[in-house]
Amino acid sequence: GAVVSQHPSRVICKSGTSVKIECRSLDFQATTMFWYRQFPKQSLMLMATSNEGSKATYEQGVEKDKFLINHASLTLSTLTVTSAHPEDSSFYICSARRTRDEQYFGPGTRLTVT
Amino acid sequence: SQQGEEDPQALSIQEGENATMNCSYKTSINNLQWYRQNSGRGLVHLILIRSNEREKHSGRLRVTLDTSKKSSSLLITASRAADTASYFCATDKRADSWGKLQFGAGTQVVVTP
């Protein structure tokens, strides 16, 4: 199957700082990537759709100025959590769409804000 | 908001038994997918069933889809300890939202040797 990587896998940052998470499709090009968030023992919630060459589209209730998404190339999307607060601590997972029906998930990034 | 509801929330079985979990959803879909997640890890795609399909098999997995009832089930036969994980259904809705998955709450499955 196709491979999607995320970096870093874990990050701890102080409140008020910004953190960037990278999502890469390693063996295919993805014009569309998705960012999800998962709180402990809960399901995944779609945050935004990242489109190569255009602005990301955000789900209702997700602050676009707080969660900056940049899809700079066909293999890379980044999520920057700006001015992070403890309530932003979560598991962030990206996926990359390969075909209309196929998408592949990254291994996730655990963010802890102290 | 979550599209799907899953039941049971948790399931504990012994090796060799079958595990069945159900997923219900609210709106029309393009397809429904099942994923597995081991604790603290990413998602593994298990199976995709399209809205015009009623049943699909993959190895020890059997998925059914009833669009009239807006529900799906996942059956894992002859379970193994390695099947211990959380299982999520996810729906891909119609119209212009291909790939935007909405996940159910998940079923936590524990298989004891």
Side-chain angles (χ1 to χ4, degrees):
Chain A
V3 179
V4 175
S5 70
Q6 276 184 248
H7 178 78
S9 57
R10 291 177 178 270
V11 57
I12 301 172
C13 71
K14 292 190 174 181
S15 189
T17 62
S18 296
V19 174
K20 181 185 285 188
I21 302 170
E22 292 185 349
C23 176
R24 291 182 186 274
S25 56
L26 298 184
D27 52 359
F28 67 98
Q29 293 183 330
T31 55
T32 303
M33 293 184 177
F34 302 95
W35 286 95
Y36 295 83
R37 182 173 177 175
Q38 185 179 32
F39 290 109
K41 298 194 183 300
Q42 293 189 23
S43 189
L44 283 77
M45 298 294 290
L46 178 65
M47 298 175 66
T49 303
S50 173
N51 302 296
E52 189 268 338
S54 64
K55 289 184 179 180
T57 55
Y58 292 81
E59 295 300 300
Q60 194 171 7
V62 177
E63 299 174 59
K64 62 181 180 181
D65 294 330
K66 180 166 189 61
F67 298 101
L68 300 179
I69 291 172
N70 183 20
H71 198 144
S73 75
L74 288 171
T75 58
L76 173 64
S77 174
T78 59
L79 168 69
T80 301
V81 183
T82 63
S83 187
H85 289 107
E87 56 266 30
D88 298 324
S89 297
S90 189
F91 194 53
Y92 292 87
I93 304 177
C94 71
S95 70
R97 196 172 87 186
R98 185 178 183 180
T99 66
R100 192 178 71 173
D101 289 341
E102 287 181 296
Q103 61 180 282
Y104 296 88
F105 284 80
T109 296
R110 185 161 303 283
L111 170 64
T112 303
V113 185
T114 61
Chain B
S1 63
Q2 289 181 353
Q3 160 83 308
E5 301 286 335
E6 289 183 62
D7 77 273
Q9 287 187 328
L11 185 59
S12 186
I13 56 174
Q14 291 197 313
E15 269 193 326
E17 294 181 338
N18 295 341
T20 300
M21 57 211 87
N22 303 294
C23 168
S24 61
Y25 56 93
K26 297 173 185 173
T27 62
S28 296
I29 59 172
N30 296 317
N31 60 63
L32 185 145
Q33 303 175 37
W34 285 91
Y35 288 85
R36 184 184 75 217
Q37 184 181 38
N38 290 88
S39 181
R41 308 288 289 274
L43 295 177
V44 175
H45 181 262
L46 296 177
I47 201 163
L48 179 151
I49 186 164
R50 292 189 167 80
S51 60
N52 62 352
E53 297 176 311
R54 292 296 167 258
E55 188 171 311
K56 211 160 181 182
H57 297 253
S58 177
R60 293 185 296 113
L61 305 179
R62 173 176 165 253
V63 168
T64 64
L65 178 65
D66 186 335
T67 52
S68 67
K69 295 181 179 178
K70 292 186 169 60
S71 67
S72 174
S73 68
L74 170 67
L75 168 68
I76 305 172
T77 59
S79 62
R80 305 167 182 168
D83 295 328
T84 294
S86 292
Y87 292 81
F88 294 94
C89 68
T91 53
D92 192 343
K93 294 197 294 184
R94 285 194 174 280
D96 61 350
S97 62
W98 289 97
K100 289 174 65 172
L101 299 179
Q102 289 197 304
F103 283 81
T107 296
Q108 191 169 1
V109 175
V110 175
V111 182
T112 52

